[in-house]
Amino acid sequence: MSSVPGFWAIIPAGGAGTRLWPLSREGFPKFLLDLTGSGCSLLQGTVERLAPLCDDRILVVTGAAHRAKVLEQLPSVKPEDVIAEPSRRDSMAAIGLAAAILERRDPEAIIGSFAADHIVRDAEAFREVVRTAIEVAAAGKIVTIGIEPTHPSTAFGYIRISEPIDDTGAFNVEAFVEKPDAQTAAEYLYVGHYRWNAGMFVVKARVLLDLLSVWHPELAAGVRAIAAEPERLEELWEGLEKIAIDNAVAEPAAAEGHVAVVPGSFGWDDVGDFASLAAVNPHRNDTPVILGEVNAVHSLDATGLVFAAKGGRTYAIVGIENVVLVDAGDAILVTTIDRAQDVKKMVDQLKADGLGHLL
């Protein structure tokens, strides 16, 4: 399958992945980790599935503290194509700066933004969906990829779709919807006009920035100024508005009919917590999932997830279902899959207790 001329992939590689602590840390976040036993990090997997669409036309936006590790993991990406954010300003600033850089290289460039820390099981099906999104984006639309829901999840935002766009396989977007409660999520699944919002956007760089200038003119002007004079990055960055791309552009653009969605069924997961991690590494024969440097796990009437980042110890687990045991050497987490979302609360508590060095 040949690449798409004029298409660039933007990979925002940020966030701390606090719900995956103590695996994911400030200094070594989840996109740098191999969480599936595949032998490559989530970031490397993202680049690998995008490369057939864009060859070496890949721009990574990451924190200044992680740039060296990103370059180490991605030797095929040019150093000038790994942009270091001086601080976190949320997704719009990161994606907007990358779009502004690519707009200067090619005013007609089509960009696709794909998070560095997601899992896609069927890469070929994913690329087919992205190709359709590129086709629709060429006509001037912002295109998002909506994941076909497999269950009534309360962990994701949703996209409400309306009528189809010709015979492209795309639909107009009526609205973006915040994470629902369990009953509402079940209703969304029953109605069928909703897709999970995976935060994937395909659009002409110029179109994205022109729309951004309508609702957030200072932010649009700021990223374009940095792209024009890269040496001013440190000077201008802190003044950029901190806002997500969904709130800055996608939601208001959808209200005005500028957003389309291409539905996708390719086995997607954002690996947001240990419940997600256990789901993408399902246990077999009622034994725990074992990942990482584990010497041996002896289990008796026990299921769940055991992940050791360091140490290579032997573990014995008795009579616990859906246990999560994570050994990172300097910290051990024990919880259950049902309480996976609460790991972030523990991270907040550790920070409040003065144990920030463990985070």
Side-chain angles (χ1 to χ4, degrees):
M1 205 181 274
S2 60
S3 65
V4 181
F7 175 67
W8 280 80
I10 296 172
I11 303 177
T18 51
R19 288 183 177 85
L20 287 173
W21 180 87
L23 293 181
S24 183
R25 308 286 185 102
E26 288 282 350
F28 209 90
K30 71 171 182 172
F31 64 83
L32 294 172
L33 298 170
D34 174 11
L35 295 180
T36 64
S38 66
C40 68
S41 70
L42 298 183
L43 171 64
Q44 289 169 322
T46 301
V47 169
E48 183 179 331
R49 66 175 167 268
L50 287 168
L53 292 169
C54 51
D55 294 328
D56 60 349
R57 297 186 300 277
I58 293 175
L59 223 61
V60 181
V61 187
T62 192
H66 305 134
R67 186 173 185 271
K69 295 184 180 74
V70 168
L71 286 169
E72 182 182 339
Q73 288 200 0
L74 303 178
S76 63
V77 176
K78 301 171 186 175
E80 60 267 30
D81 289 338
V82 178
I83 304 165
E85 300 175 293
S87 63
R88 292 176 184 161
R89 306 304 301 164
D90 220 323
S91 60
M92 189 67 256
I95 297 168
L97 177 55
I101 291 170
L102 295 176
E103 180 190 40
R104 294 187 66 83
R105 296 185 189 181
D106 176 6
E108 294 302 310
I110 296 176
I111 60 172
S113 174
F114 307 94
D117 55 1
H118 293 179
I119 287 175
V120 168
R121 295 179 184 84
D122 188 339
E124 185 175 344
F126 164 79
R127 287 189 286 268
E128 283 296 332
V129 170
V130 175
R131 284 178 179 274
T132 300
I134 293 169
E135 178 185 345
V136 178
K141 287 272 193 180
I142 296 178
V143 187
T144 188
I145 294 173
I147 307 301
E148 298 276 3
T150 57
H151 61 281
S153 175
T154 60
F156 308 129
Y158 283 71
I159 303 163
R160 185 162 68 241
I161 66 175
S162 56
E163 70 280 355
I165 300 175
D166 299 327
D167 59 352
T168 59
F171 296 80
N172 284 309
V173 170
E174 188 174 314
F176 288 84
V177 184
E178 294 298 321
K179 296 176 182 178
D181 58 31
Q183 181 178 342
T184 304
E187 291 172 0
Y188 288 169
L189 198 66
Y190 177 77
V191 170
H193 298 305
Y194 292 83
R195 302 293 180 270
W196 287 339
N197 179 10
M200 303 179 193
F201 295 96
V202 180
V203 60
K204 285 186 175 181
R206 172 177 50 80
V207 169
L208 177 65
L209 293 168
D210 286 350
L211 287 173
L212 180 63
S213 69
V214 172
W215 296 293
H216 300 271
E218 293 183 0
L219 179 52
V223 294
R224 278 173 160 157
I226 295 171
E229 300 179 84
E231 66 276 8
R232 299 185 66 195
L233 173 63
E234 294 279 351
E235 171 195 347
L236 298 175
W237 184 258
E238 294 302 326
L240 298 180
E241 182 180 1
K242 190 174 183 179
I243 188 171
I245 187 172
D246 300 71
N247 305 126
V249 174
E251 292 172 3
E256 296 193 2
H258 297 309
V259 183
V261 60
V262 179
S265 296
F266 39 72
W268 169 86
D269 202 296
D270 70 345
V271 204
D273 57 28
F274 286 109
S276 294
L277 186 57
V280 298
N281 295 282
H283 67 266
R284 296 177 177 85
N285 301 322
D286 294 325
T287 59
V289 179
I290 303 169
L291 294 170
E293 301 173 16
V294 180
N295 181 41
V297 174
H298 300 272
S299 64
L300 178 63
D301 300 327
T303 63
L305 173 72
V306 177
F307 198 125
K310 295 178 181 178
R313 309 179 210 249
T314 296
Y315 301 88
I317 307 173
V318 180
I320 305 176
E321 294 183 356
N322 296 324
V323 64
V324 174
L325 192 160
V326 183
D327 185 351
D330 61 342
I332 295 175
L333 170 72
V334 181
T335 184
T336 63
I337 290 174
D338 293 339
R339 298 292 298 273
Q341 283 280 314
D342 292 334
V343 173
K344 185 178 186 300
K345 295 179 182 178
M346 174 54 68
V347 170
D348 293 339
Q349 182 175 319
L350 291 172
K351 188 180 297 184
D353 290 343
L355 297 173
H357 62 284
L358 291 175
L359 309 179

